[in-house]
Amino acid sequence: MSKKILFLFTFAFSLFTSLNAQTVIGKYAGEFLAIGVGGRALGMGGAHTAIVNDVTSGYWNPAGLARIDYPQIALMHEEHFGDLVNYNYAAVAIPYGKDMSFGLSVIRLGVDGIPDTRDALWDSNGDGILDINTDQLDYSKISEFNNTDWAFYLTFAKRHSENFYWGANVKVIRRDLAEFSATGVGFDIGAVYMPYENLYLGATVQDVTTTLVAWSTGRNELISPTAKVGAAYAFHILGGRFMPVLDLDIRFEGREFASYFNVGPVSFDSHFGLEYTYDNLFSVRAGYNDVKQFTIGAGIKLPKIYIDYSFARMSQSETERLPDTHRISLMLSLEEPKFMRDIN
């Protein structure tokens, strides 16, 4: 019954917002959702579908949220292209009962203080035609606007058995550009399976029903589904744990020139990561992601607090290279008996 209600809601929403509007498949329409969250995952090139086991599961794979046993809070700040683009993330998750978890995640990507010169041109030629190449600006009429993208994830996860977990997201997207705005609702589903000790398999489908983003201008953009599959295996060596991880992204947008390879409209991108953790206290990481960035990172576990750092560099020549990206994330885990999951 719940599946029928979900389908009818999605169909009704899409039908209502599509009437008398232009609807297109928006290639890269949901690209701001692909940046990633958490210093651990980003230090491993975004290879995290199979191994995520904390509050950041709401983003990477909702099934992983069922693996938490204590309430958790996460925060991350990141700046792109110097300080031009600000990217912020916050999330909270709580275990419920013996086998369920709930979470809320919020992402904001913003370019603030963009000069608006649309009403500031002065007809210096007197020909009645405003042309920024020949006319002048009246600086007193220059204002500012922001370009902001928001995403809100509501996550539910359940442990089906000791080695199989599943979960789902309902996400709300809000986009603002000057006086224009857009709203969308989407759904993600995911699963984690551990068939053997130290072997992790994961899969998630983002925007599984195709997410419709409706603009105030009457234009509607469809975000196509993205399937992500991952695998990892942990080796216990040198007093710690060494774990290689591989993820594969499968998209259906026709990214012929912006992917590792494609078959018709279906494109494939990979993420590869390595992590070595010593005595469950300190970790070092490296990876390579889908936008051809080499990444490195490190993490330390303090009482109730996890601090993770990642560094990314574009694989281009020195004269063309974009600014480096530094990310720091904090996670608070309330690891006290009174907050522990009820296992009775």
Side-chain angles (χ1 to χ4, degrees):
M1 184 67 180
S2 60
K3 292 182 179 179
K4 292 183 179 179
I5 294 175
L6 177 62
F7 174 79
L8 290 174
F9 172 81
T10 305
F11 178 78
F13 178 83
S14 301
L15 180 62
F16 175 77
T17 54
S18 297
L19 292 176
N20 300 319
Q22 178 189 9
T23 301
V24 298
I25 297 177
K27 187 185 292 188
Y28 310 111
E31 196 66 12
F32 83 97
L33 298 174
I35 294 175
V37 302
R40 182 193 180 201
L42 296 173
M44 301 173 69
H48 221 51
T49 303
I51 64 172
V52 63
N53 60 356
D54 56 31
V55 62
T56 63
S57 299
Y59 175 87
W60 294 105
N61 184 347
L65 203 67
R67 300 175 66 187
I68 68 171
D69 290 322
Y70 299 93
Q72 295 180 344
I73 299 172
L75 298 170
M76 189 186 83
H77 173 72
E78 176 184 343
E79 295 179 353
H80 289 267
F81 314 118
D83 59 355
L84 180 63
V85 181
N86 289 288
Y87 182 72
N88 295 290
Y89 161 77
V92 60
I94 58 171
Y96 180 78
K98 298 179 181 180
D99 52 12
M100 293 183 290
S101 297
F102 295 89
L104 170 65
S105 308
V106 180
I107 293 174
R108 181 189 185 272
L109 178 72
V111 181
D112 302 311
I114 303 172
D116 188 349
T117 62
R118 289 174 294 177
D119 298 324
L121 278 175
W122 172 49
D123 187 6
S124 59
N125 295 325
D127 57 6
I129 301 175
L130 297 178
D131 184 352
I132 196 171
N133 295 316
T134 59
D135 295 307
Q136 299 180 8
L137 289 174
D138 182 348
Y139 288 90
S140 65
K141 295 183 179 180
I142 296 178
S143 58
E144 292 185 347
F145 66 90
N146 300 330
N147 179 15
T148 57
D149 295 318
W150 291 88
F152 303 87
Y153 293 75
L154 296 173
T155 305
F156 169 79
K158 182 177 175 60
R159 182 178 61 200
H160 181 75
S161 65
E162 288 299 323
N163 58 359
F164 181 75
Y165 306 78
W166 64 271
N169 288 328
V170 177
K171 63 185 177 187
V172 178
I173 298 171
R174 174 71 180 184
R175 313 191 73 175
D176 292 287
L177 178 60
E179 67 270 28
F180 309 108
S181 61
T183 304
V185 178
F187 304 93
D188 308 328
I189 58 172
V192 172
Y193 180 48
M194 295 169 285
Y196 306 105
E197 184 178 5
N198 300 322
L199 175 62
Y200 304 86
L201 303 175
T204 183
V205 182
Q206 300 170 342
D207 306 293
V208 62
T209 59
T210 303
T211 298
L212 186 144
V213 180
W215 283 90
S216 58
T217 60
R219 175 185 172 90
N220 297 327
E221 295 179 334
L222 296 175
I223 302 177
S224 301
T226 297
K228 303 172 73 74
V229 294
Y233 191 84
F235 303 88
H236 295 275
I237 58 175
L238 301 176
R241 186 183 69 170
F242 176 76
M243 184 165 56
V245 187
L246 178 65
D247 273 20
L248 183 66
D249 296 346
I250 306 170
R251 298 183 174 93
F252 306 89
E253 296 179 334
R255 298 190 179 192
E256 295 88 350
F257 306 106
S259 61
Y260 284 0
F261 66 95
N262 71 284
V263 179
V266 183
S267 62
F268 301 85
D269 291 292
S270 62
H271 306 253
F272 180 72
L274 298 170
E275 179 182 61
Y276 176 76
T277 301
Y278 178 74
D279 199 26
N280 201 32
L281 294 175
F282 178 77
S283 301
V284 291
R285 306 174 182 117
Y288 190 74
N289 63 24
D290 60 328
V291 293
K292 301 179 181 179
Q293 281 182 319
F294 290 100
T295 63
I296 58 173
I300 186 171
K301 179 182 178 182
L302 303 175
K304 301 179 183 179
I305 297 178
Y306 297 76
I307 303 174
D308 293 294
Y309 166 79
S310 73
F311 170 87
R313 168 165 291 182
M314 295 296 290
S315 57
Q316 297 178 337
S317 65
E318 185 66 29
T319 57
E320 299 176 343
R321 184 170 57 84
L322 295 173
D324 299 330
T325 300
H326 302 269
R327 295 136 166 168
I328 296 178
S329 65
L330 301 176
M331 187 177 71
L332 172 66
S333 184
L334 301 180
E335 297 178 1
E336 295 184 9
K338 62 180 179 179
F339 296 121
M340 187 177 179
R341 177 190 294 277
D342 181 11
I343 59 176
N344 296 321

